[in-house]
Amino acid sequence: MAALGGLGAYADHLLINAEKLVKTPAVLSDIDAAAVPVAAMTAWQVLQVADFNLRGRRVLIHGAAGGVGSFAVQFAKTAGATVYATASTKSVAHVQALGADEAIDYQKQNFEVLASDIDLIVDLVGGQVLDKSWSVLSPSGVLASIAATDVVSRAPAGRHGIWLSVKPDTARLATIAQEIADGSLRSTIAEMVGFDDLASAIERNRTGHAPGKIVLDLTR
């Protein structure tokens, strides 16, 4: 299993540097394994960009029910943070089950009213959500985005924004895979689709879908 860096994920065959590969734990199927590397590594690394210990800190995760968000909630909670998580009405129970201290239904509630003095904001949504988030960020806090490449230029004076570009880390991926195999970390698959449904699945991924990661199974 490996994170492919966005290249070749829909291919039948591909070439990849062996140093990027991690052995899949025996208890995980290929479908289970496919749902992990990109989402989990992105979630892990986006929580590291602040460069401070999360224990006792306040973390706000936008898009917390998706593939990346679901892992980010768990990693932040395990690190000892108080976790605020935004999700749709149908996904609130999911993020609560993952450990979110405050699950915010963005379809009914305004996060900028319920959250304040946040040390780390994880932006997986972008757009207006990003623009509204600066108001709840603490003066010394960090907003890390994977959804807005222009996050730094959009940061108001006195606010710190970071754009994340995920880097390979096979040692960390191996640890994460084993935690999933052991049951101490939860990986959620929203749905499995075949190649004929790929285009519509991409659209569902963009506009909202069931909690977790959509996985393409080329054997279907």
Side-chain angles (χ1 to χ4, degrees):
M1 59 193 295
L4 303 179
L7 300 176
Y10 303 148
D12 290 298
H13 300 84
L14 58 91
L15 294 175
I16 184 170
N17 189 322
E19 294 179 354
K20 295 182 179 180
L21 295 172
V22 170
K23 187 175 181 179
T24 303
V27 298
L28 299 185
S29 68
D30 288 342
I31 295 296
D32 294 328
V36 175
V38 173
M41 290 308 305
T42 301
W44 177 262
Q45 293 185 19
V46 78
L47 291 173
Q48 310 305 310
V49 297
D51 199 27
F52 51 64
N53 193 323
L54 293 182
R55 182 164 300 281
R57 304 277 191 160
R58 296 155 71 91
V59 176
L60 170 61
I61 300 169
H62 289 306
V68 176
S70 292
F71 282 115
V73 169
Q74 295 176 84
F75 291 149
K77 187 63 179 177
T78 300
T82 298
V83 181
Y84 294 76
T86 65
S88 65
T89 303
K90 65 182 179 182
S91 298
V92 164
H94 173 71
V95 298
Q96 289 174 327
L98 294 177
D101 298 284
E102 185 75 36
I104 301 171
D105 182 347
Y106 67 75
Q107 294 176 307
K108 299 178 180 179
Q109 301 170 300
N110 295 320
F111 73 85
E112 59 268 37
V113 174
L114 299 173
S116 61
D117 200 32
I118 301 296
D119 297 295
L120 173 62
I121 297 176
V122 175
D123 170 44
L124 309 175
V125 179
Q128 292 184 351
V129 171
L130 169 60
D131 294 331
K132 292 178 180 179
S133 294
W134 302 110
S135 65
V136 304
L137 188 66
S138 73
S140 60
V142 175
L143 189 156
S145 180
I146 68 167
T149 57
D150 59 348
V151 59
V152 175
S153 63
R154 288 166 68 173
R159 291 292 186 262
H160 186 196
I162 296 176
W163 160 253
L164 175 72
S165 179
V166 180
K167 298 177 176 61
D169 185 342
T170 52
R172 175 53 55 183
L173 179 56
T175 297
I176 289 172
Q178 192 57 53
E179 288 174 346
I180 294 171
D182 294 342
S184 58
L185 182 65
R186 177 177 170 184
S187 176
T188 303
I189 295 176
E191 60 177 315
M192 294 180 291
V193 301
F195 193 81
D196 290 343
D197 194 35
L198 177 57
S200 60
I202 292 173
E203 181 64 14
R204 288 194 296 278
N205 189 62
R206 187 183 68 83
T207 58
H209 55 81
K213 184 78 171 176
I214 297 176
V215 178
L216 172 64
D217 181 0
L218 291 174
T219 67
R220 292 168 70 93

